Amino acid sequence: MNPIGVFGGTFDPIHYGHLRTAYEMLQALKFDEVRFMPCGKPPHRNEPRADSTVRLSMVTAAIQGQKGFIVDDREINREGPSYSVDTLKTLRTDFPLRSLGLIVGMDAFLGLPEWYQWREILELSHIVVAHRPGWRMPDMGPLDELLKERGTHRVDDLHQSKSGYIYIHEVTQLEISSTDIRTLVRSGRNPRFLTPASVTKIINDSKCYKNKLTN
Ligand code: ATP
């Protein structure tokens, strides 16, 4: 069986930058599936603007009909901060024999040394990094060392081992962020073509970004 991609995020809201990245990863790395996993309480950033149920419904709507895309609500249903290492432990229990690939954008990868028990992550899964517009590969420090030790250019490595490798994959650069979408919506503009129409509808119906925000 092929690896399972695990794509965590705030998804506040999900957009085509996320979707295209996941799709290209699914194809290029030959994942059996990509599990979209909206976080409950993110440990490294402000509280999401939209409720977890709304974020979950936006992800569900966005991926509908795409073979291999699955929504996984385990982080939303768990109490406390959504630490990736805890999530991966539960996935390991559910899928003891499968290769797991944690998908992160380059910006998220650069923050890895601040993650809770980050060195344990590679004991549980691979890390697959999507090149994101405007971010450069680390060329010094702990991540550079980690890349030298664990980096691979071989997709086969991700299939043959269950965990332990870092693979950097270039994806089509779509300079879209959830922050920009929220800003657009707050100023009354339509995020059309940045996110699926089904997501725009949920944003409109739930009014999840309507309130004036403090930052
Ligand atoms: P925000 O603007 O609120 O910070 P975001 O657009 O970065 O949100 P997240 O939900 O925080 O979205 O991102 C989840 C994951 O998707 C992260 O690993 C992030 O690096 C990655 N990601 C976000 N936007 C893109 C994009 N346009 N292209 C590729 N990867 C992306």
Side-chain angles (χ1 to χ4, degrees):
M1 278 209 262
N2 289 352
I4 296 173
V6 181
F7 195 13
T10 317
F11 300 125
D12 189 20
I14 189 166
H15 53 68
Y16 281 127
H18 300 128
L19 291 162
R20 183 70 205 175
T21 295
Y23 184 62
E24 291 186 13
M25 293 278 188
L26 181 79
Q27 293 192 317
L29 307 186
K30 302 187 182 68
F31 287 146
D32 267 349
E33 61 191 36
V34 172
R35 303 179 84 86
F36 287 74
M37 207 170 283
C39 65
K41 196 170 159 19
H44 303 288
R45 49 184 288 163
N46 294 338
E47 287 269 325
R49 305 300 175 179
D51 278 357
S52 51
T53 46
V54 175
R55 289 182 293 114
L56 186 67
S57 65
M58 290 193 283
V59 173
T60 307
I63 68 173
Q64 217 206 348
Q66 176 54 51
K67 193 165 168 285
F69 280 9
I70 290 177
V71 67
D72 186 325
D73 62 2
R74 73 184 64 214
E75 287 198 347
I76 278 183
N77 290 329
R78 200 170 63 216
E79 290 288 310
S82 300
Y83 292 121
S84 297
V85 72
D86 294 339
T87 304
L88 289 169
K89 280 179 189 160
T90 67
L91 281 162
R92 224 345 119 224
T93 308
D94 290 355
F95 305 105
L97 303 176
R98 302 290 296 271
S99 164
L100 300 174
L102 182 68
I103 300 171
V104 295
M106 184 59 85
D107 59 327
F109 180 65
L110 294 179
L112 185 72
E114 279 109 66
W115 292 16
Y116 178 64
Q117 297 182 345
W118 66 281
R119 288 186 186 275
E120 234 191 280
I121 289 177
L122 282 170
E123 308 300 315
L124 298 160
S125 72
H126 303 295
I127 298 179
V128 184
V129 186
H131 238 308
R132 208 181 162 186
W135 297 87
R136 286 215 357 251
M137 219 109 75
D139 52 12
M140 54 188 290
L143 286 181
D144 180 47
E145 277 166 36
L146 195 69
L147 274 173
K148 285 192 181 118
E149 205 184 300
R150 306 293 194 109
T152 182
H153 299 292
R154 284 167 29 95
V155 172
D156 279 357
D157 285 338
L158 306 178
H159 286 243
Q160 283 158 11
S161 311
K162 289 191 295 180
S163 61
Y165 284 104
I166 301 175
Y167 184 94
I168 298 189
H169 184 64
E170 239 176 88
V171 293
T172 302
Q173 313 249 300
L174 294 172
E175 187 58 282
I176 304 172
S177 75
S178 303
T179 304
D180 290 347
I181 294 179
R182 294 194 302 272
T183 306
L184 271 182
V185 172
R186 282 208 303 281
S187 64
R189 283 175 291 158
N190 194 311
R192 185 175 300 158
F193 307 132
L194 298 174
T195 188
S198 54
V199 173
T200 305
K201 184 170 183 332
I202 294 172
I203 292 173
N204 270 328
D205 292 350
S206 67
K207 302 190 174 54
C208 55
Y209 304 126
K210 210 187 112 195
N211 298 339
K212 261 266 179 273
L213 305 173
T214 49
N215 58 15

